[in-house]
Amino acid sequence: MPLRFTNTLTRQLEEFRPLDPTGKTVKLYTCGPTVYNYAHIGNLRAYIFEDLLQRQLEASGYAVERVMNLTDVDDKTIRGSREAHVALGEFTAPFKKAFFEDLDTLRIRRAQSYPAATDAAQIARMIDMIAQLVARGHAYQAEDKSVYFRIASFPNYGRLAHLNLDELRPSGRVRSDDYEKENIGDFALWKAWDEADGAVGWDSPWGRGRPGWHIECSAMATGLLGEQIDIHCGGVDNIFPHHEAEIAQTEAITGKPFVRLWMHCAHLMVDGQKMSKSLGNFYTLRDILAKGFTGREVRYALLRVNYSLPLNFTLEGLATDARESLRRIDEWLARLNDHARTATASEPHPLAEQRRFEEALDDDLNISGALGELFKIIRESNAALDAGALAPAHARRLLAWWARINAVLALEPETVALPTEVQQLLEQRAAARAAKRWADGDALRDAIAALGWTVKDTKDGQKATRLAAAG
Ligand code: AMP
Ligand code: ZN
């Protein structure tokens, strides 16, 4: 079945076709973090949705070329660096590092590139784009020395957000003491330096200043992926004005449709409100890991609801639903692995119900439907195992299927490195058993258990697994 996604631009479910005439490569741009703090798990929901999208595209045979920006200069990062009395780069560096650690903890695949707004090449590109916009009459420098995009010059402005922007259309020049823009909706492309910016600033044809947030993404997307890209994502709060502005700036220069498919994920909610730093109702991933949850559990909790629906977050849901669902997957995999050992061959073809998992994901990333199919198969194959009615070859086939769907889910059990002490005791135990010193072997098994590991003797030798953590 072809992939279908809901396009924010048309509000329609559309069959996906890449721009690449060979049909192989998909260009994906995803708005990244503003690195003035640790990401909260609402931000991380957006990144997990984008990860699911990338993995599903790859599982469907596409090569994904992906760029994600790091917003490392804006009001918040500048304020943070002033308050901490350090240079901007010094202030943002630990948050950039923490962002990548969070990605790894949540098993989010890396983009090919993470350009930062302060990279010299990116600043140069932004200045170049702004100059082109000014030259074509799409932008102007106001009395405050900042440069603004003239939304009246771009008739499609408002199309993505489906907003009635009549009130933003010019009805003569808007002026007041503190207002120098031609139109209330005109947004900053270049912000003139002021005292609060301290040492932060770059020289430009319009004087010292810094780029606006919107031009950052237009410059990075077109600079690294080209004038036209397949898919652009973010959270729904990015639709307006950020993505609307990106379209206006980019298309005013290129004259071509910038993005074919816009996808936005609904918010992570807490008690009916958007999780956000400004409301103070947020958890960082670190907060949650400190409560004893794993990255895998958080991944599951953020993944399991369809991206287009708001997801209400509770710690209780994480402790019950996510933990319990993963435990069921783990037990099922352990049983299948045991059972498949005696299989001589795997049955080759996937079952119809297995294909339903993939079909659900093809249908606008319907992950809750796909997980429903997975748990149905788990229930049925567990029942068949209980009844002694599951052929070992079938168990092997289910494991092969799991490996395939897990390339999209990334929910495999945590692998924990064997501690050296346990490794040494295992070696001593192997030697004891080889010499038929069974009592020593048993004592060593107890010593290993005291370190939190169990040993099983299999035909391939000893197998140590970590005892389930309490809680
Ligand atoms: P920011 O660091 O604020 O620029 O946001 C980074 C990404 O997280 C953007 O794609 C936002 O749309 C997204 N985002 C922010 N808050 C939430 C939330 N509560 N739920 C889902 N996504 C969010
Ligand atoms: Zn962006």
Side-chain angles (χ1 to χ4, degrees):
M1 204 198 279
L3 291 171
R4 281 165 296 144
F5 299 115
T6 301
N7 191 346
T8 309
L9 198 59
T10 59
R11 301 288 198 270
Q12 302 285 322
L13 190 64
E14 296 175 358
E15 193 171 303
F16 178 71
R17 274 171 293 112
L19 291 159
D20 174 10
T22 69
K24 289 192 189 125
T25 305
V26 175
K27 295 181 177 191
L28 172 64
Y29 185 88
T30 51
C31 288
T34 309
V35 283
Y36 72 106
N37 205 329
Y38 297 108
H40 63 63
I41 58 165
N43 304 133
L44 294 168
R45 181 194 192 195
Y47 308 148
I48 285 203
F49 142 65
E50 292 153 359
D51 183 58
L52 177 65
L53 172 65
Q54 173 169 358
R55 286 171 180 271
Q56 175 64 4
L57 288 164
E58 287 172 348
S60 306
Y62 296 110
V64 179
E65 245 181 75
R66 174 169 173 202
V67 173
M68 184 182 233
N69 67 306
L70 302 173
T71 301
D72 60 354
V73 56
D74 77 328
D75 292 347
K76 288 174 282 198
T77 44
I78 293 173
R79 193 183 320 124
S81 76
R82 276 170 68 100
E83 284 169 8
H85 303 288
V86 292
L88 183 65
E90 209 180 314
F91 174 73
T92 57
F95 299 121
K96 288 183 186 172
K97 186 166 166 277
F99 165 71
F100 289 111
E101 286 167 3
D102 288 353
L103 295 189
D104 292 345
T105 306
L106 294 176
R107 308 173 177 191
I108 294 173
R109 299 196 36 166
R110 294 286 174 96
Q112 272 81 1
S113 110
Y114 291 93
T118 57
D119 290 347
Q122 300 304 338
I123 295 278
R125 188 166 170 84
M126 291 180 235
I127 290 175
D128 180 62
M129 285 183 84
I130 299 168
Q132 289 189 59
L133 290 169
V134 172
R136 293 164 192 228
H138 289 291
Y140 59 93
Q141 185 166 31
E143 286 159 21
D144 65 354
K145 299 279 177 266
S146 291
V147 180
Y148 294 95
F149 186 89
R150 179 178 279 130
I151 61 168
S153 74
F154 191 76
N156 275 340
Y157 194 76
R159 211 176 121 207
L160 178 73
H162 296 236
L163 288 180
N164 176 1
L165 292 173
D166 281 348
E167 64 269 30
L168 297 185
R169 305 242 179 265
S171 51
R173 260 173 112 81
V174 181
R175 276 181 188 266
S176 70
D177 285 348
D178 56 1
Y179 212 77
E180 290 119 345
K181 293 191 279 183
E182 288 180 5
N183 188 301
I184 192 167
D186 290 354
F187 52 87
L189 296 164
W190 188 258
K191 296 187 174 184
W193 183 89
D194 72 26
E195 264 166 37
D197 291 345
V200 178
W202 291 265
D203 292 327
S204 81
W206 316 281
R208 195 163 172 74
R210 59 183 162 101
W213 173 38
H214 313 315
I215 194 70
E216 191 190 305
C217 283
S218 287
M220 293 182 184
T222 55
L224 292 159
L225 292 171
E227 289 184 345
Q228 295 188 282
I229 63 178
D230 291 287
I231 312 178
H232 193 317
C233 302
V236 286
D237 57 315
N238 283 162
I239 297 173
F240 192 86
H242 185 49
H243 290 165
E244 194 75 62
E246 278 189 47
I247 294 174
Q249 297 158 159
T250 313
E251 296 187 2
I253 292 175
T254 67
K256 297 177 194 157
F258 172 37
V259 173
R260 183 171 271 192
L261 170 66
W262 286 93
M263 291 178 76
H264 295 96
C265 86
H267 282 144
L268 186 72
M269 312 290 285
V270 184
D271 298 328
Q273 280 186 302
K274 174 191 170 192
M275 179 174 282
S276 73
K277 284 176 190 144
S278 55
L279 290 172
N281 61 351
F282 65 92
Y283 290 108
T284 65
L285 185 56
R286 280 158 182 74
D287 297 336
I288 293 181
L289 298 181
K291 292 182 192 296
F293 294 101
T294 63
R296 180 189 184 217
E297 287 165 345
V298 179
R299 177 175 176 91
Y300 184 87
L302 297 179
L303 186 70
R304 77 185 166 81
V305 171
N306 289 356
Y307 78 92
S308 55
L309 300 173
L311 193 173
N312 200 46
F313 179 79
T314 61
L315 285 174
E316 200 191 305
L318 195 55
T320 52
D321 179 72
R323 209 165 251 180
E324 170 59 21
S325 302
L326 292 171
R327 195 188 54 75
R328 274 163 63 200
I329 292 176
D330 292 351
E331 279 180 10
W332 175 68
L333 291 175
R335 288 186 83 180
L336 289 180
N337 272 311
D338 264 358
H339 198 61
R341 246 187 274 285
T342 57
T344 47
S346 173
E347 296 171 23
H349 302 296
L351 299 169
E353 58 262 39
Q354 293 172 347
R355 275 200 300 270
R356 272 188 230 132
F357 176 97
E358 280 119 326
E359 283 164 10
L361 283 182
D362 288 350
D363 184 14
D364 206 16
L365 299 178
N366 176 6
I367 186 74
S368 65
L371 289 171
E373 297 295 339
L374 168 65
F375 284 109
K376 190 159 157 261
I377 287 180
I378 291 180
R379 260 192 320 276
E380 287 167 1
S381 47
N382 277 337
L385 281 164
D386 292 343
L390 192 96
H394 189 103
R396 188 175 281 188
R397 172 163 76 173
L398 285 169
L399 285 169
W401 175 68
W402 162 260
R404 207 170 66 240
I405 65 166
N406 190 54
V408 180
L409 296 174
L411 288 175
E412 68 280 4
E414 309 272 359
T415 50
V416 185
L418 204 60
T420 329
E421 287 164 280
V422 176
Q423 183 60 43
Q424 284 167 352
L425 292 172
L426 283 170
E427 284 162 18
Q428 290 171 24
R429 185 167 177 270
R433 285 170 59 85
K436 300 199 183 335
R437 287 187 281 112
W438 306 118
D440 287 351
D442 289 347
L444 284 160
R445 175 201 296 274
D446 293 344
I448 292 167
L451 294 173
W453 291 73
T454 49
V455 192
K456 253 193 180 170
D457 296 301
T458 73
K459 69 172 176 23
D460 305 320
Q462 303 179 96
K463 251 188 104 180
T465 41
R466 204 159 68 122
L467 289 165

